[in-house]
Amino acid sequence: MKIAVIGGSGYIGGELIRLLLQHPHATLAQATSTRYAGRSLAVAHPNLRGQTDLTFVQPEAVEPCDALFLALPHGTAMQTLSRWLELAPLVIDLSADFRLRDAADYTAYYGGPHPAAEWLSRSVPGIPELNRDQLRDARLIAVPGCMANAAILALYPLVAAGLLQQPVIVDARTGSSGSGAEPNLSSHHAERSGVMRVFKPLGHRHTAEIRQICWVPIYMTATAVEAVRGVQVIAHVTLPAPMTEKEIWSLYRRRYTAEPFIRLVKQRTGVYRLPEPKILSGTNFCDVGFALDADGQHLVVIAALDNLVKGGAGNAIQCLNIVHGWDERAGLRFAGLHPV
Amino acid sequence: MKIAVIGGSGYIGGELIRLLLQHPHATLAQATSTRYAGRSLAVAHPNLRGQTDLTFVQPEAVEPCDALFLALPHGTAMQTLSRWLELAPLVIDLSADFRLRDAADYTAYYGGPHPAAEWLSRSVPGIPELNRDQLRDARLIAVPGCMANAAILALYPLVAAGLLQQPVIVDARTGSSGSGAEPNLSSHHAERSGVMRVFKPLGHRHTAEIRQICWVPIYMTATAVEAVRGVQVIAHVTLPAPMTEKEIWSLYRRRYTAEPFIRLVKQRTGVYRLPEPKILSGTNFCDVGFALDADGQHLVVIAALDNLVKGGAGNAIQCLNIVHGWDERAGLRFAGLHPV
Amino acid sequence: MKIAVIGGSGYIGGELIRLLLQHPHATLAQATSTRYAGRSLAVAHPNLRGQTDLTFVQPEAVEPCDALFLALPHGTAMQTLSRWLELAPLVIDLSADFRLRDAADYTAYYGGPHPAAEWLSRSVPGIPELNRDQLRDARLIAVPGCMANAAILALYPLVAAGLLQQPVIVDARTGSSGSGAEPNLSSHHAERSGVMRVFKPLGHRHTAEIRQICWVPIYMTATAVEAVRGVQVIAHVTLPAPMTEKEIWSLYRRRYTAEPFIRLVKQRTGVYRLPEPKILSGTNFCDVGFALDADGQHLVVIAALDNLVKGGAGNAIQCLNIVHGWDERAGLRFAGLHPV
Amino acid sequence: MKIAVIGGSGYIGGELIRLLLQHPHATLAQATSTRYAGRSLAVAHPNLRGQTDLTFVQPEAVEPCDALFLALPHGTAMQTLSRWLELAPLVIDLSADFRLRDAADYTAYYGGPHPAAEWLSRSVPGIPELNRDQLRDARLIAVPGCMANAAILALYPLVAAGLLQQPVIVDARTGSSGSGAEPNLSSHHAERSGVMRVFKPLGHRHTAEIRQICWVPIYMTATAVEAVRGVQVIAHVTLPAPMTEKEIWSLYRRRYTAEPFIRLVKQRTGVYRLPEPKILSGTNFCDVGFALDADGQHLVVIAALDNLVKGGAGNAIQCLNIVHGWDERAGLRFAGLHPV
């Protein structure tokens, strides 16, 4: 099983490489980088020192393989898709290019027409917890955005139960790795350190992804907080009628009990009573928890994940595992660190 | 003008001391600490090295003075109020003990009956932007909680305009100094560092303070994030009818334009486009900004402040300045640092 | 291969558990905690949620096993050693109790006489890079302190080559997890965050460990910096005569080229040109690099590791692997994260 | 007293502006920025919102004034000095351009010949603690580098007493603001956060500044640690003969007791026993402390300061105060925050 990573020098690309190098069934054959072609993978990812002898190759040098991950800037995969589809029977895209079903949404959220719009409906959303069966036969998988994935996993059990009928307010917090590997003033350490920066108070692009699963208005505020990895979403839901905590519990448990990477976290005591991203760094878990107001109708659902893993590369590997019929946990068994 | 600080070894107490030592009109006469009595103020607050020769005294040693700040643990001021009222014509309490008007709210949020309930209605809320006139004649001032103050200042222009009619969802984030100077496992650096810890998903005590100003249901989620100082609140409001950004702007500008410590922050470009706590460290500012959805009805209001200053000690000094007819900015002119 | 961890609720204990749960040849049979006995391991270590059904047991409940790790507070293992030696053919101690060869050093650095001094010479230092052969037959292994291990691995090639003849100045920096899981004022987040705290300018206990390998005076300054995990040492060495960079390189390469967990890091370009602890979090690597002054005699050697892994639990597992003849990398293959 | 700041958009420039805006005797007349000319000062420094109505001007628009601060990139002031000298009777340069006495040192440390070498000997080092008298008549003041200033203030009492005879080893740690306001990969938050990055193991340019005061070889290692502001140096000194702590104390006390911005910090107990940069943020203090080995000859001196204040802008203002015969503390009375 030979795998290529297109766009290997970014943060998502680096995670794909890291995970593939230790995957029991897959082999990383090639990783591309225009900037670093010919140089060791460790030049971009110092954690890979001594882990591999591979060097980056130019995108043009990619050879046919069994699966191909696209970790390119938004807008690139849609321009070059046909080439990648020729090279591999399975293409897993980690950009935003094929996440929205509706071409009009692209125009609204990303601007301009979509050059490969016919693939919007043919691609399968890379959300194993929702689309496991469709994923098995996928030709093109579109891995969701990090905040979108967390929000969708937080809300889906309510959607499936018909309980999501009112607008949802989502508060999303993210670490700095979510904005990628390109330096700019807003990522400059002296400016970024210690912030609670509301960088998108409304209208974040991931909102469109959540809405197409939830079918109600989503008002999402996105804040950059002090962390490198980690996404957390807090979703405020108004239930159609009062419910008990136990009912919510059993709803979530039913939906997620067999999921290898969803853990329900809701403890009465201890320091980590609700989902906390920091202990998920490097793992493929999405932890989900909730609190219900005394009125029984105002429900707060919390989800946390590592934006580069369950919010990106790990989720993509999980999809690969599904397509190939491997144990979904293959290559994704890292349990996370504490303290960290 | 002799001032005493009761409870001088905690974080709010330390800020009171710092601010009073540089106040142009007030003089710090005494600061109490049971633990550190007889020792230099710098033993608890290393920033005060070389700033004063005062030592902490026992609470019993407090002498009559012109004003007295209470920076005691919640539940203490209410037990000992009569003593402090005898010692000074003005008592400014920074605990939660006199923040709620309704004794029943105490039982609900803090447990047990209130031993000085007659003062609940006689105390004046320490919110200059709302109660300036009442403050001038105050005998007992109850300074609001840090998150409550931020939320109230974010929402009050809407309340005053009759626009707050629907439940409000508040997302509050706080640095670690907000939980005080007593170590415990949840404040242990290895556990607290880098968190996005939802420590109170619903039912936080400050909710009661906000509600008694706003008169609508408040659903507030409180999260501890990586920072020492700083509080930020994001309030989601549904307006009764669509409005324009310009209308919101003029509403807030009218209400706050003459306020020395409220700044409206809403820029189209730059890194600090909306209120950011980190650049407010040490200052008495509350920065307020907002975003309005394309639907004209979903309004997100953001407020930021330093929890120990505008969320505590600085706000209390501002109240003192008002009572004494001094320039409200006296002793509170520090502009804040950038970068930091 | 049944393994027990004595003192499983601390940070080193937690890392032992984490690593053993994913070890291909060893099985965690029991983990003790007086405080948490009867409760899930995840109560102390939230990263273990869903990883195991084990609960903590009381120390008295430990049953005979194949190897036993002691992760107890300093001074405890020396009091109870005989009990543990009865329970297992191999005891690996991670405390300071058996690290020094000379009982007089204990008195000097830790105070009081050593109650099991006969084991000081019989224990084998848990430093695979120096003692691999002795470790194979060890009955009691004493894993070195985190800063000591980093300094020893930085300096040993010079010692072995007879080049360490002058006093060495060591600057050691450490994250907060190095001081353990017990909260106190100096670990309180608001006090510990962002510090450069010289907590031991001279006379740190790990100095004694380094000196017994190096045989020259060691002046070590220990500073707590902002990080949870990570130790870095900077050792300033005066060589007996001028050398070239190439000679130093080949000296280190010869000594360490076959070592699975030592990487020489010295690059001309890039952001991570010298050993950096942050990319080693969770890994068992000790990265070593150096710089040589233009005078050819002043040599700066830099080493970095994760204090809880190569500076503790991981190093102990590596010793276990050696004793049992397994691949030394078994259970220790995590490559580390970037960015993080 | 009209003052201009040339290079007002950088971090040192921003601090000069902040301090001048609250200075009791000086008035900020102009601040230049090529990039932001015509726009509010707050566009670069969000802490200045509401503090001033000034806008940045082009460097060409600078008018004659009473004093002029140069906060330009290294290499710029030396090219344009004559112009600034024409505009003001006092020029205070905060770049490296006039810090070294010896033109050959420029070639060695900065490359190329010095275009205004005649001013190297005519400029006065901006170190009030060493050169107060010369500063009074200065025409051009060269403010030292942040790490250099800390090291010089740590070592000078020993130099003056003739006790510095052996090479000194200096370990210098710095926050991210020290590398300026221009983003690059090494300052990118995801790469810079949480590091212990030895960015200059030997040969740092500030070494030359220290050496010209100390006259012994200086081996300095510079490490970037997690902080925005703050510099700390640890200097290891071998005394010519054994001394007692008391003797060292009295040596330092004699030299520094009258200094308004040097505090000796050496406590037996407490969390802040030795100089700690974090509590100095925004202040003009340099805290100095030490530890003496049991051998009486190995002395560790520690100094801490805010790199942008006592390591830059504040120190420059102190020089201005001296030249004009004002209280040296004018405009520099901020005591610092705790906790922070």
Side-chain angles (χ1 to χ4, degrees):
Chain A
M1 278 303 304
K2 283 186 175 174
I3 315 280
V5 172
I6 314 304
S9 68
Y11 291 156
I12 290 282
E15 280 298 87
L16 286 166
I17 292 169
R18 173 179 77 85
L19 292 167
L20 288 167
L21 285 175
Q22 299 206 344
H23 196 286
H25 311 307
T27 302
L28 178 68
Q30 291 184 296
T32 76
S33 166
T34 304
R35 184 183 310 175
Y36 296 120
R39 302 178 64 188
S40 159
L41 299 190
V43 76
H45 308 297
N47 58 329
L48 301 182
R49 279 179 185 135
Q51 303 291 310
T52 174
D53 295 327
L54 281 182
T55 53
F56 284 115
V57 300
Q58 291 287 359
E60 298 72 32
V62 175
E63 294 172 9
C65 56
D66 297 299
L68 198 144
F69 291 89
L70 304 181
L72 295 163
H74 299 321
T76 310
M78 55 168 76
Q79 302 285 355
T80 54
L81 181 65
S82 58
R83 166 141 196 265
W84 310 120
L85 288 169
E86 278 167 31
L87 284 171
L90 173 64
V91 172
I92 302 181
D93 182 31
L94 290 104
S95 80
D97 287 9
F98 298 95
R99 289 176 187 163
L100 302 183
R101 314 268 87 192
D102 183 346
D105 274 353
Y106 270 98
T107 311
Y109 281 89
Y110 293 87
H114 195 294
E118 72 279 12
W119 277 98
L120 293 182
S121 55
R122 293 172 66 190
S123 73
V124 179
I127 315 179
E129 294 78 5
L130 275 66
N131 303 314
R132 189 168 275 111
D133 288 341
Q134 292 160 265
L135 283 167
R136 290 189 225 281
D137 306 313
R139 175 87 171 92
L140 172 63
I141 296 172
V143 175
C146 52
M147 292 185 279
N149 201 27
I152 290 166
L153 294 172
L155 294 169
Y156 190 65
L158 301 173
V159 175
L163 294 170
L164 211 63
Q165 300 173 9
Q166 298 288 321
V168 175
I169 285 164
V170 176
D171 190 70
R173 300 93 183 257
T174 178
S176 60
S177 62
S179 60
E182 277 304 317
N184 57 51
L185 189 58
S186 84
S187 75
H188 190 51
H189 182 273
E191 307 293 345
R192 179 65 176 75
S193 172
V195 298
M196 309 183 199
R197 180 178 297 153
V198 181
F199 64 98
K200 202 70 187 169
L202 285 167
H204 192 284
R205 291 162 168 187
H206 290 185
T207 311
E209 293 180 58
I210 305 167
R211 206 194 47 205
Q212 69 185 4
I213 302 290
C214 292
W215 299 106
V216 293
I218 303 290
Y219 297 107
M220 181 166 101
T221 297
T223 305
V225 297
E226 174 62 46
V228 171
R229 292 184 178 225
V231 153
Q232 187 186 53
V233 299
I234 315 290
H236 289 262
V237 173
T238 306
L239 297 171
M243 294 179 70
T244 64
E245 278 214 359
K246 215 170 162 182
E247 289 168 329
I248 308 286
W249 251 118
S250 79
L251 192 77
Y252 274 83
R253 196 176 279 138
R254 262 201 317 275
R255 176 65 52 181
Y256 286 146
T257 197
E259 285 300 334
F261 292 113
I262 309 271
R263 300 187 297 195
L264 298 183
V265 174
K266 178 170 164 47
Q267 292 179 200
R268 274 177 217 286
T269 60
V271 170
Y272 298 86
R273 298 194 299 272
L274 288 165
E276 167 60 60
K278 89 161 182 163
I279 58 162
L280 302 180
S281 273
T283 80
N284 199 48
F285 292 113
C286 177
D287 283 356
V288 177
F290 70 89
L292 185 64
D293 191 75
D295 65 19
Q297 268 192 284
H298 192 88
L299 177 68
V300 177
V301 190
I302 297 133
L305 48 73
D306 179 334
N307 54 303
L308 299 179
V309 189
K310 187 61 175 169
N315 203 29
I317 303 277
Q318 188 181 355
C319 292
L320 176 78
N321 291 343
I322 288 169
V323 175
H324 287 281
W326 301 326
D327 185 328
E328 282 187 37
R329 291 164 299 183
L332 299 169
R333 290 179 188 273
F334 180 61
L337 301 174
H338 171 258
V340 70
Chain B
M1 280 300 305
K2 283 187 176 175
I3 315 281
V5 173
I6 314 304
S9 67
Y11 291 156
I12 291 281
E15 279 298 86
L16 287 166
I17 292 169
R18 172 179 77 84
L19 293 167
L20 288 167
L21 285 175
Q22 299 207 342
H23 197 286
H25 311 307
T27 301
L28 177 68
Q30 292 185 296
T32 77
S33 166
T34 304
R35 185 184 308 175
Y36 296 120
R39 301 178 64 188
S40 160
L41 300 190
V43 75
H45 308 298
N47 57 330
L48 302 182
R49 279 179 185 135
Q51 304 290 312
T52 174
D53 294 328
L54 282 182
T55 54
F56 284 115
V57 300
Q58 291 287 359
E60 296 73 32
V62 176
E63 295 172 8
C65 55
D66 296 298
L68 197 145
F69 291 89
L70 304 180
L72 296 162
H74 298 322
T76 311
M78 56 168 74
Q79 303 286 353
T80 54
L81 181 65
S82 58
R83 168 140 194 265
W84 310 120
L85 289 169
E86 279 168 30
L87 285 171
L90 173 64
V91 172
I92 302 180
D93 181 31
L94 290 104
S95 81
D97 288 10
F98 298 94
R99 289 177 187 164
L100 302 182
R101 315 266 85 192
D102 183 347
D105 274 352
Y106 271 97
T107 312
Y109 281 88
Y110 293 86
H114 195 293
E118 72 279 12
W119 277 97
L120 292 182
S121 54
R122 294 173 65 190
S123 73
V124 179
I127 314 179
E129 294 78 6
L130 276 66
N131 303 313
R132 191 168 274 113
D133 287 341
Q134 292 160 265
L135 284 167
R136 292 190 223 280
D137 307 313
R139 176 87 172 92
L140 172 63
I141 296 172
V143 175
C146 51
M147 292 185 280
N149 201 28
I152 289 166
L153 293 173
L155 295 169
Y156 189 66
L158 302 172
V159 174
L163 295 170
L164 211 64
Q165 300 173 10
Q166 298 289 320
V168 175
I169 285 163
V170 177
D171 190 70
R173 302 91 183 256
T174 178
S176 61
S177 63
S179 61
E182 277 303 317
N184 58 51
L185 188 58
S186 84
S187 73
H188 190 51
H189 181 273
E191 307 292 346
R192 178 65 176 73
S193 172
V195 297
M196 308 182 199
R197 180 179 296 152
V198 182
F199 64 98
K200 201 72 186 169
L202 285 168
H204 192 283
R205 291 163 167 186
H206 291 186
T207 310
E209 293 180 57
I210 306 168
R211 209 195 45 208
Q212 68 185 5
I213 301 289
C214 293
W215 298 107
V216 294
I218 303 291
Y219 297 106
M220 181 166 101
T221 297
T223 305
V225 298
E226 175 61 46
V228 171
R229 291 183 179 226
V231 153
Q232 188 187 53
V233 299
I234 315 289
H236 290 261
V237 173
T238 306
L239 297 170
M243 294 179 70
T244 64
E245 278 214 359
K246 216 171 160 181
E247 289 168 330
I248 308 285
W249 251 118
S250 77
L251 193 78
Y252 275 82
R253 197 177 278 141
R254 263 200 315 275
R255 176 65 52 184
Y256 287 146
T257 197
E259 285 300 335
F261 294 113
I262 310 271
R263 298 187 297 195
L264 298 184
V265 174
K266 177 169 164 46
Q267 295 178 197
R268 276 176 217 286
T269 59
V271 170
Y272 298 86
R273 297 194 301 271
L274 288 165
E276 168 60 60
K278 90 162 181 162
I279 57 161
L280 302 179
S281 273
T283 80
N284 199 47
F285 292 113
C286 176
D287 283 356
V288 177
F290 70 89
L292 184 64
D293 192 73
D295 65 17
Q297 268 192 287
H298 192 89
L299 176 68
V300 177
V301 190
I302 297 134
L305 48 73
D306 179 333
N307 55 303
L308 298 179
V309 189
K310 187 61 177 169
N315 204 28
I317 303 277
Q318 188 182 355
C319 292
L320 176 77
N321 291 343
I322 289 170
V323 174
H324 287 282
W326 301 326
D327 185 327
E328 283 188 36
R329 291 164 299 182
L332 299 170
R333 290 179 188 273
F334 180 60
L337 301 174
H338 170 257
V340 71
Chain C
M1 280 301 305
K2 283 186 175 175
I3 314 281
V5 172
I6 314 303
S9 68
Y11 290 156
I12 290 282
E15 280 297 88
L16 287 166
I17 291 168
R18 173 179 76 86
L19 293 167
L20 289 166
L21 285 175
Q22 298 207 344
H23 196 285
H25 311 306
T27 301
L28 177 68
Q30 292 184 297
T32 77
S33 166
T34 304
R35 184 183 308 175
Y36 296 120
R39 302 178 64 188
S40 159
L41 300 191
V43 77
H45 309 297
N47 57 331
L48 302 181
R49 279 179 185 135
Q51 304 290 312
T52 173
D53 294 329
L54 282 182
T55 54
F56 285 115
V57 300
Q58 291 286 359
E60 298 73 33
V62 175
E63 294 173 7
C65 55
D66 296 298
L68 197 145
F69 291 89
L70 305 180
L72 296 163
H74 299 320
T76 311
M78 56 168 76
Q79 303 285 353
T80 55
L81 181 65
S82 58
R83 168 140 194 265
W84 310 119
L85 289 169
E86 279 167 31
L87 285 171
L90 172 65
V91 172
I92 302 182
D93 181 31
L94 289 104
S95 80
D97 288 9
F98 299 94
R99 289 177 187 163
L100 303 183
R101 315 268 86 191
D102 183 347
D105 273 353
Y106 270 98
T107 312
Y109 281 88
Y110 293 86
H114 195 293
E118 71 279 12
W119 277 97
L120 292 182
S121 55
R122 293 172 64 189
S123 73
V124 179
I127 314 179
E129 294 78 5
L130 276 67
N131 304 314
R132 191 167 274 112
D133 288 342
Q134 292 160 265
L135 283 167
R136 292 190 223 280
D137 307 313
R139 177 88 172 90
L140 172 64
I141 296 173
V143 175
C146 51
M147 292 185 279
N149 201 27
I152 289 166
L153 293 172
L155 294 169
Y156 189 66
L158 301 173
V159 174
L163 295 171
L164 211 64
Q165 301 173 7
Q166 298 289 320
V168 175
I169 286 163
V170 177
D171 190 69
R173 301 92 182 259
T174 178
S176 61
S177 63
S179 60
E182 277 303 318
N184 57 52
L185 189 58
S186 84
S187 74
H188 190 50
H189 181 272
E191 307 292 346
R192 179 64 176 75
S193 172
V195 298
M196 309 182 199
R197 181 178 296 152
V198 182
F199 64 98
K200 201 72 187 169
L202 286 168
H204 192 283
R205 291 162 168 187
H206 290 185
T207 311
E209 292 180 58
I210 306 168
R211 207 194 45 207
Q212 69 185 3
I213 302 290
C214 293
W215 297 108
V216 293
I218 304 290
Y219 297 106
M220 182 166 100
T221 297
T223 305
V225 297
E226 174 61 46
V228 170
R229 291 185 180 224
V231 153
Q232 188 187 52
V233 299
I234 316 288
H236 289 261
V237 173
T238 306
L239 297 170
M243 294 179 70
T244 64
E245 278 215 0
K246 217 169 161 183
E247 289 169 330
I248 308 287
W249 251 119
S250 79
L251 192 78
Y252 274 83
R253 197 177 278 139
R254 263 201 315 277
R255 177 64 52 182
Y256 285 146
T257 197
E259 286 300 335
F261 292 113
I262 309 269
R263 299 187 297 194
L264 298 184
V265 174
K266 178 171 164 46
Q267 292 178 198
R268 276 177 216 285
T269 60
V271 170
Y272 298 86
R273 297 194 301 270
L274 288 165
E276 167 60 60
K278 91 160 180 162
I279 57 162
L280 303 180
S281 273
T283 80
N284 199 47
F285 292 112
C286 177
D287 283 356
V288 177
F290 69 89
L292 185 64
D293 191 75
D295 66 17
Q297 268 191 288
H298 192 90
L299 177 68
V300 177
V301 190
I302 298 134
L305 48 74
D306 179 334
N307 55 303
L308 299 179
V309 189
K310 187 61 177 171
N315 202 29
I317 302 277
Q318 188 182 355
C319 292
L320 175 78
N321 290 343
I322 288 169
V323 174
H324 287 281
W326 301 326
D327 185 328
E328 282 188 36
R329 291 164 299 182
L332 299 170
R333 289 179 188 272
F334 180 60
L337 301 174
H338 170 258
V340 71
Chain D
M1 280 300 304
K2 284 188 174 172
I3 314 281
V5 172
I6 314 304
S9 68
Y11 290 156
I12 290 282
E15 280 298 87
L16 286 167
I17 293 169
R18 173 179 76 84
L19 292 167
L20 288 167
L21 285 175
Q22 299 207 342
H23 197 285
H25 311 307
T27 301
L28 178 68
Q30 291 185 296
T32 78
S33 165
T34 303
R35 185 183 309 175
Y36 296 119
R39 301 178 65 189
S40 159
L41 300 191
V43 76
H45 308 297
N47 57 330
L48 302 183
R49 279 179 185 135
Q51 303 291 312
T52 175
D53 294 327
L54 282 182
T55 54
F56 285 115
V57 299
Q58 291 287 0
E60 296 73 33
V62 176
E63 295 172 8
C65 56
D66 296 300
L68 199 145
F69 291 89
L70 304 181
L72 296 163
H74 298 321
T76 310
M78 56 168 75
Q79 303 285 354
T80 54
L81 182 64
S82 57
R83 163 136 200 268
W84 310 120
L85 289 169
E86 279 167 30
L87 285 171
L90 173 64
V91 172
I92 302 181
D93 181 30
L94 290 104
S95 81
D97 288 9
F98 298 95
R99 289 176 187 163
L100 303 183
R101 315 266 87 191
D102 183 347
D105 274 352
Y106 271 98
T107 312
Y109 281 89
Y110 292 86
H114 195 293
E118 71 279 13
W119 277 97
L120 293 182
S121 54
R122 293 173 66 190
S123 73
V124 179
I127 314 178
E129 294 78 5
L130 275 66
N131 303 315
R132 191 168 274 113
D133 288 341
Q134 291 160 264
L135 283 168
R136 291 189 224 280
D137 306 313
R139 176 88 172 92
L140 172 63
I141 296 173
V143 175
C146 52
M147 293 186 279
N149 201 27
I152 289 167
L153 293 173
L155 294 170
Y156 189 65
L158 302 173
V159 173
L163 295 170
L164 211 64
Q165 300 173 9
Q166 298 289 321
V168 175
I169 285 163
V170 176
D171 190 69
R173 301 94 183 255
T174 179
S176 60
S177 62
S179 59
E182 277 304 317
N184 58 50
L185 189 58
S186 85
S187 74
H188 190 52
H189 182 272
E191 307 292 345
R192 178 64 176 75
S193 172
V195 297
M196 308 182 199
R197 181 178 296 152
V198 182
F199 64 97
K200 202 71 186 169
L202 285 168
H204 192 283
R205 291 163 168 187
H206 290 186
T207 311
E209 293 179 57
I210 306 168
R211 207 196 44 207
Q212 69 186 4
I213 301 290
C214 293
W215 298 107
V216 293
I218 303 291
Y219 297 106
M220 181 165 99
T221 296
T223 304
V225 298
E226 174 61 45
V228 171
R229 292 185 178 224
V231 153
Q232 188 186 53
V233 299
I234 315 289
H236 289 261
V237 173
T238 306
L239 297 170
M243 295 178 70
T244 64
E245 279 214 358
K246 217 172 160 180
E247 289 168 331
I248 307 286
W249 251 118
S250 78
L251 192 76
Y252 275 82
R253 197 177 279 139
R254 262 202 315 275
R255 175 66 51 184
Y256 286 146
T257 197
E259 285 300 334
F261 293 113
I262 309 271
R263 299 187 297 195
L264 298 183
V265 174
K266 177 171 164 46
Q267 294 179 198
R268 276 176 216 287
T269 60
V271 170
Y272 298 86
R273 298 194 300 270
L274 288 165
E276 167 60 60
K278 91 161 181 162
I279 57 161
L280 302 180
S281 273
T283 80
N284 198 47
F285 292 113
C286 177
D287 283 357
V288 177
F290 69 89
L292 185 64
D293 192 73
D295 65 19
Q297 268 192 286
H298 192 89
L299 176 69
V300 177
V301 190
I302 298 133
L305 49 74
D306 179 333
N307 53 304
L308 299 179
V309 189
K310 187 61 175 169
N315 204 28
I317 303 277
Q318 188 181 355
C319 292
L320 175 77
N321 291 343
I322 288 170
V323 173
H324 287 281
W326 300 326
D327 185 328
E328 283 187 36
R329 291 164 299 182
L332 299 170
R333 290 179 188 274
F334 181 60
L337 301 174
H338 170 257
V340 70

